[in-house]
Amino acid sequence: MVDVTINGQARKFDGDPSMPLLWFIRDELGLTGTKFGCGIAACGACTVHVNGEAVRSCGIVMSDIAGKQVTTIEGLDAKGEHPVQVAWRQLGVPQCGYCQAGQIMQAAAFLKTNKSPNDEQIVEAMSGNLCRCGCYQRIQAAVRAAAKGA
Ligand code: FES
Ligand code: FES
């Protein structure tokens, strides 16, 4: 049995402990904001927070998250008003939107560790999150804006 907290709610999982966290989030809890992109921890679409750090939920299994706090895009802010979300809206970042939850979760975790990053640090921090629509310039601009309080 794996006990875990997801978006502030205690959850139990008694299935295969080697199942990726992404399947628990999407298929068992129905939190479909977190996306499946590659399944091999290479694209960032499935990024969530585990104890506040950005983690690829396709690359971590249920037994790894026992006793931990997981936050998905649905739990980042009750009203969708996290500074990163506000900046994302103001700058109209998404194109198709598929990668965006992962981008936002990555950016939110990064800005917790670096509240006034320079451009190089932003590019570096976001470089592992792929966007097939090529929204990189708007993503970087939105991270910059969010760092200033959006
Ligand atoms: S789906 Fe997890 S990193 Fe691509
Ligand atoms: S907005 Fe389409 S993949 Fe990033």
Side-chain angles (χ1 to χ4, degrees):
M1 177 70 75
V2 173
D3 287 293
V4 58
T5 304
I6 311 266
N7 296 338
Q9 270 190 281
R11 302 285 191 171
K12 287 185 185 299
F13 175 72
D14 62 2
D16 181 352
S18 67
M19 183 175 85
L21 170 61
L22 177 58
W23 304 139
F24 183 63
I25 290 169
R26 286 185 57 87
D27 296 347
E28 307 233 352
L29 302 182
L31 297 169
T32 53
T34 305
K35 297 295 189 267
F36 172 83
C38 65
I40 54 168
C43 76
C46 66
T47 303
V48 299
H49 296 172
V50 176
N51 287 357
E53 286 183 20
V55 167
R56 294 176 177 203
S57 59
C58 72
I60 186 168
V61 299
M62 293 307 293
S63 57
D64 292 333
I65 58 153
K68 297 192 174 160
Q69 305 269 345
V70 175
T71 305
T72 70
I73 187 72
E74 290 89 349
L76 185 61
D77 182 273
K79 294 186 174 155
E81 297 287 344
H82 186 283
V84 172
Q85 292 170 307
V86 172
W88 241 249
R89 283 198 297 274
Q90 283 178 350
L91 293 176
V93 174
Q95 191 166 314
C96 81
Y98 198 82
C99 71
Q100 296 290 318
Q103 304 276 3
I104 288 170
M105 295 308 279
Q106 176 69 25
F110 167 59
L111 290 175
K112 262 198 297 192
T113 65
N114 186 343
K115 294 196 186 314
S116 51
N118 61 33
D119 287 354
E120 209 179 341
Q121 290 166 331
I122 292 172
V123 170
E124 165 72 22
M126 300 304 297
S127 64
N129 284 69
L130 306 185
C131 175
R132 292 191 68 178
C133 298
C135 301
Y136 296 112
Q137 287 189 341
R138 289 199 300 277
I139 288 167
Q140 288 154 18
V143 177
R144 224 176 283 129
K148 294 188 183 120

